[in-house]
Amino acid sequence: MARYIKEIELGIAPEKVEEILGDFLQENEFYRTTWKGEACYAADVSIVKEVKFLKYRYEEGVLHFEAWLRDGASKEQGLTGLASMTLKKPYLDVVISLLGRCIQESPQGRDKKDIILQPEKKQSSVYAVLLLVILVLFWALMRSVR
């Protein structure tokens, strides 16, 4: 599954973006690390090391933000879908809150608040349809067993 990736035009001072993101990183105990050769931030979940990842860049008023979870030793998971929901949902919620704080600082903040969820809604609907198909197949199987 793909990373949660957002490009958001904020048009605010880089210092303000660094302040918001720096506070977030500190509050959530993220630290600098390297994942597959790319510099990023990671946070541990209980005794498991480097589970939550993020990276960002703010240039010319545009925030590029990526977040993902580690899946096994070297794979990645996005923040939506059924697998690992106990990790995905809480992390997605704090990421959305973080991006919401950044957008609030933007001059057009109210017009942009829906940006942070748009692509994820499409991915979630795919999983909902898949779940529905599985349930229908299971129901049909159970009826044929009777």
Side-chain angles (χ1 to χ4, degrees):
M1 177 170 284
R3 294 179 182 186
Y4 177 91
I5 300 174
K6 294 293 175 195
E7 292 260 344
I8 305 170
E9 186 175 339
L10 296 174
I12 59 178
E15 297 80 20
K16 186 63 179 174
V17 174
E18 286 298 326
E19 177 187 333
I20 294 168
L21 288 163
D23 289 348
F24 173 84
L25 294 170
Q26 185 175 11
E27 289 167 15
N28 292 280
E29 299 178 352
F30 277 82
Y31 52 89
R32 288 182 189 270
T33 190
T34 303
W35 171 257
K36 294 180 160 184
E38 69 181 305
C40 59
Y41 295 91
D44 305 334
V45 176
S46 67
I47 61 170
V48 182
K49 292 264 187 208
E50 295 186 338
V51 174
K52 299 186 285 187
F53 292 89
L54 72 82
K55 68 182 225 177
Y56 70 92
R57 157 179 91 250
Y58 188 66
E59 296 173 344
E60 299 180 21
V62 177
L63 175 64
H64 175 86
F65 185 90
E66 299 181 22
W68 67 97
L69 295 168
R70 186 184 76 207
D71 181 9
S74 62
K75 294 181 183 176
E76 297 180 6
Q77 280 187 54
L79 304 186
T80 59
L82 298 176
S84 303
M85 278 307 293
T86 57
L87 289 175
K88 290 179 180 183
K89 177 76 170 111
Y91 188 32
L92 179 60
D93 289 346
V94 297
V95 164
I96 289 171
S97 176
L98 166 65
L99 295 177
R101 280 187 263 162
C102 292
I103 289 171
Q104 283 178 344
E105 295 295 323
S106 172
Q108 302 87 14
R110 292 184 183 191
D111 299 334
K112 296 181 180 182
K113 66 182 178 182
D114 293 332
I115 289 173
I116 54 180
L117 282 175
Q118 288 171 351
E120 276 35 68
K121 287 181 183 176
K122 291 177 186 173
Q123 289 178 355
S124 295
S125 65
V126 168
Y127 286 105
V129 169
L130 180 61
L131 179 60
L132 181 60
V133 168
I134 290 170
L135 289 173
V136 168
L137 290 173
F138 180 73
W139 176 79
L141 178 65
M142 294 306 291
R143 287 191 50 109
S144 68
V145 170
R146 288 185 199 179

